[in-house]
């Protein structure tokens, strides 16, 4: 007698692990702001781990651990300081990086296009720990000086929206392309001044899904 074919893990699994990484493109203030010589962020890198549990139809609850790092443009920072201080002869800057570690929770919805292709949409909210850059600034003027400006580490609320197009390679594995929007609004304490700086970005890259 012929045996029944068991259902594939793609159809029966309620748990998914997703690993994604890609490039991060800074937007708005974080890209162009001249507040206290910060901002001026350059393209960076993002790595994310998602844990999703499907609880009804194509809806799932998701927990996300997200790490983003963004470099800063030393030449632009130096130019902004020089433009603001005509008495300086020259300015040299060694710029640091922004790093953001986030823990987010939210919802995920899957649309099956065929037996192989599916689209996922995701919205999540949580807490971010943001480490601002440390910039070493050397000024040549009538009274030369050096200083270290540090934005320190702060916590702030964050949210993310993400869309991915995926292809089932086999029963447990799928690969896809994702695009996400991320935003947080930290307040840095720099030289006894409170500076609120919107940190938002777009990211795109690869996503690997493993169905448990």
């Amino acid at each position: 007698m012929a045996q029944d074919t068991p259902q594939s893990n793609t159809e029966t699994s309620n748990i998914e692990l997703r690993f994604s990484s890609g490039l991060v493109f800074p937007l708005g203030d974080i890209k162009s702001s001249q507040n206290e010589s910060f901002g001026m962020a350059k393209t960076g890198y993002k790595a994310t781990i998602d844990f999703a549990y499907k609880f009804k139809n194509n809806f799932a609850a998701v927990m996300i651990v997200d790490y983003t790092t963004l470099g800063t443009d030393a030449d632009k920072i130096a130019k902004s300081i020089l433009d603001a201080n005509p008495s300086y002869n020259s300015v040299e800057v060694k710029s640091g990086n922004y790093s953001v570690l986030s823990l987010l929770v939210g919802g995920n919805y899957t649309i099956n296009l065929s037996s192989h292709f599916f689209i996922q949409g995701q919205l999540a909210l949580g807490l971010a720990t943001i480490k601002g850059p440390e910039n070493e600034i050397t000024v040549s003027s009538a009274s030369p000086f050096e200083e270290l400006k540090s934005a320190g580490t702060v916590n702030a609320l964050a949210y993310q929206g993400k869309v991915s197009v995926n292809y089932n390679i086999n029963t447990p594995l799928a690969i896809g392309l994702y695009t996400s929007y991320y935003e947080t609004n930290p307040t840095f304490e720099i030289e006894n001044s409170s500076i609120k700086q919107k940190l938002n970005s777009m990211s795109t890259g690869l996503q690997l899904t493993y169905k448990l």
Side-chain angles (χ1 to χ4, degrees):
M1 295 178 63
Q3 295 183 343
D4 293 335
T5 302
Q7 287 183 300
S8 70
N9 204 32
T10 302
E11 297 174 345
T12 60
S13 175
N14 288 329
I15 300 175
E16 290 184 352
L17 284 177
R18 304 190 200 102
F19 305 91
S20 57
S21 64
L23 296 177
V24 180
F25 304 97
L27 304 170
D29 285 354
I30 197 66
K31 183 178 180 180
S32 60
S33 174
Q34 296 182 21
N35 285 336
E36 296 293 329
S37 309
F38 285 90
M40 306 300 185
K42 300 189 295 186
T43 300
Y45 172 77
K46 178 190 284 280
T48 307
I49 300 175
D50 297 5
F51 176 84
Y53 180 79
K54 186 169 69 175
F55 59 90
K56 183 178 181 182
N57 298 327
N58 291 337
F59 287 96
V62 62
M63 182 175 70
I64 304 162
V65 179
D66 180 284
Y67 178 77
T68 298
T69 181
L70 293 163
T72 52
D73 193 318
D75 291 339
K76 286 185 178 180
I77 293 171
K79 184 178 185 302
S80 73
I81 297 172
L82 197 57
D83 289 345
N85 299 275
S87 63
Y88 294 170
N89 297 323
S90 65
V91 176
E92 293 183 4
V93 175
K94 293 181 180 178
S95 60
N97 298 328
Y98 289 91
S99 62
V100 185
L101 179 63
S102 307
L103 179 63
L104 310 170
V105 293
N108 192 92
Y109 185 75
T110 300
I111 301 173
N112 294 308
L113 301 178
S114 69
S115 59
H116 287 288
F117 287 97
F118 61 96
I119 296 174
Q120 287 183 328
Q122 182 185 97
L123 288 173
L125 175 72
L127 185 67
T129 298
I130 307 103
K131 182 180 181 298
E134 290 185 348
N135 292 333
E136 296 180 26
I137 302 168
T138 303
V139 175
S140 174
S141 64
S143 301
F145 66 91
E146 295 182 3
E147 65 175 330
L148 175 66
K149 284 191 175 182
S150 174
T153 301
V154 296
N155 296 319
L157 291 176
Y159 68 88
Q160 177 175 272
K162 181 179 180 182
V163 175
S164 63
V165 179
N166 304 272
Y167 176 81
N168 285 314
I169 299 173
N170 53 36
T171 298
L173 288 175
I175 191 168
L177 296 173
Y178 81 88
T179 297
S180 67
Y181 175 83
Y182 179 94
E183 183 174 318
T184 184
N185 289 272
T187 299
F188 294 111
E189 298 292 332
I190 303 172
E191 297 182 345
N192 300 317
S193 297
S194 295
I195 298 175
K196 192 173 185 66
Q197 188 169 57
K198 184 177 179 179
L199 198 164
N200 57 331
S201 61
M202 294 291 297
S203 176
T204 186
L206 294 175
Q207 175 174 278
L208 181 67
T209 300
Y210 183 77
K211 299 179 177 66
L212 300 177

